[in-house]
Amino acid sequence: MDKLPGFRDFYPADCARRNYVLETWRGVARRYGFVEFDGPVVESMELYEKKSGGELVGQLFTVGVTAEPGAVKGALRPEMTPTLARMVAARERDFKKPLKWFCVPNFFRHERQQRGRLREFCQLNCDIIGESSPAADAELLAVQIDMLRACGLTERDFVVRLSSRTAWQDFFQANAKRADGAALTADDEYEFFQIVDKAERAPAEKTGAVLTKFSMSADTVLAFMLSKEPTAELTPIIADLQARGLGAFVELDYAIVRGLAYYTGVVFEVFDRAKNERAVAGGGRYDRLLSLMSDGKVDLPALGFGMGDVVLLNLLDEIPAAKAKLDAWCAAQHACDLYVVIAKEELRPQALALVQELRDSGKRTDFALAPAKVGKQFQAAENLGARLAVVIGEEWPRVKVKTLATREEREVSREEISQL
Ligand code: HAM
């Protein structure tokens, strides 16, 4: 039977690659003082319909829909931000601010499967809640940059494209006029953000056609998109990153506006310099989401980003230094370090005691479950990537230890084995 398209099997080699990414993410997040949290895989549909917005709402996998009147419609989580906002709003008083939380969950989106886009993926989220100063934006961008540096990528390989919805909001208020003469609404503004979000990839005529509703031309919008003047909001963030020595990783780029509805101020996306991949990460400020979630009871500024494992692994495969680091880590994940070869079957009980002892002392140890020729056992040791073969035979209670890479052999006492 075939696997459903877009969902993922993780054979051991795939699992090792995913674990490399997860361990790197967790290690860097902890280095920056972020703590891990998680939430449910299924949330109410309403949470995403109301809070995510944009294309995401059409990509939900619904679950638990029953015919009972009033039954709650559920959806597999397509992102974490609404869950995080819900969780923090519910127990806000229990936590000192600012909160620095991260998670590495898997998400589900009903997308057309293509390179870097699956229906199931892992995504690192780092979020800071309860801090409105630009220092928080810089801290978030720094941890994001360091996630990629820790994978062996440099400023030659990727760039953070930094932008601001506030800048676009000001632009919209200054330039837009509804063709029907009505006053501009928040929905108009979001519609405009979505036009900007697509403008980089869409033909200018198409952008021009959708902008007529707001009496704007594609040229004015495209000219603002290409301007490189940082707003007052962005200047201190850039200066902070420069002070950390991370300035080269960031470029001002007003083409970025982000698709999701909840973003309010600074927004950004991370791309490979070669532009072979879709965004590896994206995020920004969502200062109004907690208030929206709690009907105004909790009002905390917030910001965060998500980084996907699918795009990241595609990118690492393309950059030789990063690929070598990934491959070396995966190679070190082989099944065992020591392989106990039972050369005399009548010594199996003693071998079992030794195997148990080695495992108790934390050594990754394996052995043949069924009697086998010595040659076959050595072959198994090689296949499993063992460093040493410990041979239990004639010499017992002494054992022969063979270094498999060099074929070097020595005899050691039972006591010395624990030092291997
Ligand atoms: P997003 O831009 O939808 O943001 O996703 C962030 C990253 O997740 C993307 O850049 C991409 O690497 C990965 N990703 C998204 N969809 C897929 C897919 N179908 N297949 C593979 N990878 C995918 C968010 O989700 C926001 N909630 C991030 C955030 C956190 N904002 C604030 N805090």
Side-chain angles (χ1 to χ4, degrees):
M1 205 134 94
D2 289 341
K3 177 175 75 58
L4 289 171
F7 295 94
R8 301 163 84 184
D9 286 332
F10 287 95
Y11 287 93
D14 310 308
C15 235
R17 285 163 59 83
R18 182 180 61 174
N19 286 344
Y20 170 75
V21 168
L22 294 183
E23 287 204 13
T24 308
W25 282 345
R26 284 199 166 101
V28 178
R30 292 197 179 114
R31 244 198 262 161
Y32 271 75
F34 283 76
V35 292
E36 189 165 356
F37 77 103
D38 203 351
V41 174
V42 177
E43 289 267 22
S44 75
M45 266 282 265
E46 208 192 337
L47 181 79
Y48 304 118
E49 281 171 345
K50 284 205 174 145
K51 316 297 176 196
S52 298
E55 286 168 353
L56 252 191
V57 178
Q59 295 170 345
L60 294 173
F61 281 102
T62 54
V63 291
V65 184
T66 68
E68 295 160 34
V72 174
K73 280 190 194 174
L76 290 181
R77 59 185 176 191
E79 62 155 338
M80 205 61 171
T81 314
T83 298
L84 171 65
R86 179 184 60 67
M87 287 170 64
V88 174
R91 287 190 38 198
E92 180 261 321
R93 281 159 197 256
D94 295 346
F95 308 106
K96 294 255 175 302
K97 316 297 173 310
L99 267 72
K100 290 167 83 177
W101 285 10
F102 82 97
C103 59
V104 290
N106 54 346
F107 293 138
F108 305 88
R109 295 186 188 178
H110 197 285
E111 300 211 57
R112 204 161 51 78
Q113 189 184 337
Q114 51 190 286
R115 185 174 169 84
R117 210 179 277 269
L118 298 177
R119 291 178 172 176
E120 178 188 2
F121 58 98
C122 282
Q123 194 196 70
L124 160 76
N125 279 240
C126 288
D127 292 85
I128 303 178
I129 297 185
E131 180 56 67
S132 57
S133 85
D137 300 73
E139 174 80 345
L140 191 76
L141 290 168
V143 71
Q144 177 178 247
I145 292 166
D146 273 347
M147 292 287 168
L148 298 172
R149 286 178 68 221
C151 291
L153 300 173
T154 69
E155 70 270 27
R156 290 185 302 283
D157 306 317
F158 73 92
V159 61
V160 180
R161 296 166 67 188
L162 182 62
S163 177
S164 159
R165 271 200 183 177
T166 325
W168 276 112
Q169 230 159 17
D170 294 347
F171 175 88
F172 186 66
Q173 294 303 331
N175 294 285
K177 235 188 272 126
R178 270 179 56 153
D180 60 7
L184 295 167
T185 65
D187 283 347
D188 287 335
E189 198 176 84
Y190 183 50
E191 193 180 331
F192 173 67
F193 288 160
Q194 291 193 307
I195 299 171
V196 177
D197 189 38
K198 293 188 175 58
E200 204 186 15
R201 300 173 296 271
E205 311 81 69
K206 201 172 167 199
T207 307
V210 281
L211 282 170
T212 50
K213 179 175 174 187
F214 302 120
S215 322
M216 277 195 264
S217 72
D219 283 351
T220 356
V221 170
L222 293 174
F224 186 73
M225 217 180 234
L226 297 175
S227 65
K228 295 274 172 200
E229 263 319 295
T231 57
E233 178 187 40
L234 296 175
T235 306
I237 301 173
I238 296 170
D240 182 318
L241 289 168
Q242 278 165 349
R244 297 176 196 234
L246 299 176
F249 290 93
V250 185
E251 275 172 20
L252 200 67
D253 190 337
Y254 290 122
I256 302 298
V257 68
R258 307 275 297 141
L260 293 158
Y262 47 67
Y263 292 113
T264 47
V266 170
V267 282
F268 51 83
E269 285 185 358
V270 183
F271 284 88
D272 60 312
R273 292 261 187 202
K275 296 194 175 149
N276 289 330
E277 311 294 335
R278 64 177 294 206
V280 63
R285 273 209 174 261
Y286 51 98
D287 284 345
R288 288 196 289 274
L289 188 59
L290 273 97
S291 171
L292 258 167
M293 193 67 76
S294 61
D295 295 322
K297 285 191 211 74
V298 178
D299 190 8
L300 287 171
L303 64 158
F305 72 84
M307 179 180 289
D309 70 326
V310 181
V311 189
L312 178 57
L313 281 164
N314 282 347
L315 182 55
L316 299 185
D317 282 339
E318 276 173 27
I319 310 287
K323 170 105 168 89
K325 202 170 170 191
L326 164 66
D327 288 346
W329 191 92
C330 292
Q333 306 306 302
H334 48 70
C336 76
D337 190 37
L338 305 184
Y339 194 93
V340 174
V341 173
I342 307 172
K344 277 179 85 178
E345 196 46 42
E346 55 272 35
L347 288 171
R348 184 166 281 265
Q350 287 83 342
L352 289 175
L354 179 65
V355 165
Q356 191 64 28
E357 195 182 300
L358 289 167
R359 288 175 174 171
D360 281 349
S361 70
K363 300 215 158 50
R364 291 185 302 134
T365 310
D366 211 348
F367 69 106
L369 295 174
K373 294 212 169 79
V374 170
K376 271 210 153 161
Q377 292 186 56
F378 269 102
Q379 192 55 57
E382 301 264 4
N383 293 345
L384 294 172
R387 181 172 55 94
L388 301 174
V390 178
V391 187
I392 301 196
E394 295 298 337
E395 306 76 13
W396 184 258
R398 292 176 70 77
V399 296
K400 272 198 278 186
V401 176
K402 190 162 177 176
T403 305
L404 290 168
T406 59
R407 313 259 155 218
E408 235 172 89
E409 201 175 87
R410 65 202 158 102
E411 207 179 286
V412 302
S413 70
R414 180 79 177 68
E415 293 69 44
E416 286 169 299
I417 300 174
S418 57
Q419 280 131 51
L420 289 175

